[in-house]
Every structure is written in C-alpha cells, then in structure tokens.
Amino acid sequence: MATKKFRYRLTDFKSNYYVGRKPVYNSKCNFEVHSAGLMLSGNFCNNYKHISILSQEVESVTLVRGKETIDTFYMSPIHMLSKIGVPKRISRYFSFHPSEYKITETKILIEGKEQRLELITSGYSFEKLKRHFKKRGYGDKLKIERGPSMDLSSFRSTIPEAEARFLK
C-alpha cells in the first residue's frame, strides 16, 4: 500500500457544522478541487477525516502568493534569461543552485456561507492552483494577491563595490 504525500496544511478552520469538534490546527491534509465542490482530506481528529464545501456555498477563494526572492550571480542562466526578457516563472527552472530562486508559501483562503478555511502549501504551486481553480469554474470567485518580489542580483549591480567583489 502506497503512502499518501500530504501537500497542504490546515492553519485555520471555522464552521457552524462542526460544533464541538475542532480539527487539529497545522495538520497535514490533501486538497481537491472539483466542479461540484471542495474536499479536504486529512487526519484532523478521531471523529472525522474530511471537510467538504459545496460549490454553491463557496463565496470567495483567495490565493496569496508568497514572497519571491531571486539571488543570482552575473553569468547564471537565470540572470541571462531575465536580461533577454524571459519571465521568472520559466527562467527559475534553469538555476544552478537552489538558493538562486526562492518563493515562500502560498496561502489559500476559502470563504463559504458557513465555513472558513485557511491552508498553506509550497510557493511553487501558485500558478498550478490558479489554473486549477479557473478550470473547475471558480474563476469568478477567485481573488489573487501577489506577495513582494525581490531581485537581489539587480541590487548588487547598483553598488560598485559589490560588483567588483562578486566578479572576483
């Protein structure tokens, strides 16, 4: 039997349905988006393993992208691709070192008529989640918030002493 890999964490949950049965916060879970509704599966407590919200009950879905940090060196592929105009979401796959491109966690906030869920997941799954929600019919309820983007490689090139030190 294969073990499931959990990709999300439940950080906040408020509901009128589950009175008296509170889930374990920061618990690992899986999240599925269907056109009929949203399903959260995990080991929340002894009483229940699933949290579901019908699509008619979903009022809004907010995706909050994490802070993006690019810290490349002068002749790295990410640096060269960004200079010729390739988007960061594509050039990040050509890094030599994992520290060249980092993005913090993505937050998913789901507001229902009687429920509120807050989940976190890897920052690298933001674009996939956005496409997935739009494809399943939640495009009109979807709100996107982007975190700050910081390009440390362009900051270094503005300081003459730093440029000389990094070229050695």
Side-chain angles (χ1 to χ4, degrees):
M1 189 166 109
T3 59
K4 277 189 170 181
K5 183 177 181 184
F6 297 108
R7 298 184 179 196
Y8 299 89
R9 288 199 178 266
L10 178 67
T11 57
D12 190 23
F13 175 68
K14 293 183 176 94
S15 175
N16 295 339
Y17 294 127
Y18 301 103
V19 177
R21 299 183 295 175
K22 297 291 182 185
V24 178
Y25 293 107
N26 208 15
S27 59
K28 296 177 182 178
C29 58
N30 285 326
F31 181 61
E32 299 173 18
V33 180
H34 302 283
S35 55
L38 309 172
M39 173 69 80
L40 198 65
S41 316
N43 197 7
F44 304 117
C45 69
N46 295 335
N47 295 337
Y48 61 98
K49 307 285 185 218
H50 304 285
I51 298 171
S52 62
I53 303 176
L54 294 174
S55 62
Q56 304 92 293
E57 295 179 4
V58 176
E59 293 178 345
S60 70
V61 177
T62 306
L63 290 177
V64 182
R65 185 179 180 143
K67 179 182 175 185
E68 184 178 44
T69 306
I70 300 169
D71 189 9
T72 63
F73 53 93
Y74 180 65
M75 291 300 287
S76 78
I78 294 178
H79 182 75
M80 291 187 290
L81 289 170
S82 67
K83 290 297 180 190
I84 61 172
V86 175
K88 291 180 265 189
R89 70 177 190 279
I90 296 170
S91 65
R92 73 180 182 196
Y93 294 109
F94 299 97
S95 67
F96 280 134
H97 197 272
S99 67
E100 287 185 75
Y101 181 87
K102 293 182 259 182
I103 187 165
T104 59
E105 62 199 18
T106 297
K107 291 182 184 177
I108 307 165
L109 304 166
I110 301 165
E111 295 280 341
K113 292 180 181 173
E114 297 186 21
Q115 294 177 337
R116 183 182 184 279
L117 291 167
E118 184 175 333
L119 305 163
I120 58 173
T121 187
S122 168
Y124 296 97
S125 62
F126 177 81
E127 296 294 329
K128 185 178 178 181
L129 279 168
K130 184 171 80 169
R131 282 192 310 269
H132 206 64
F133 276 112
K134 286 183 179 179
K135 185 178 179 181
R136 299 288 188 236
Y138 295 94
D140 56 337
K141 301 173 185 178
L142 187 63
K143 299 175 188 172
I144 305 293
E145 294 180 15
R146 298 196 182 266
S149 181
M150 181 184 291
D151 191 352
L152 297 176
S153 58
S154 63
F155 177 71
R156 281 193 196 129
S157 63
T158 59
I159 305 172
E161 306 89 43
E163 185 72 26
R165 189 176 79 219
F166 287 113
L167 290 177
K168 288 183 182 179

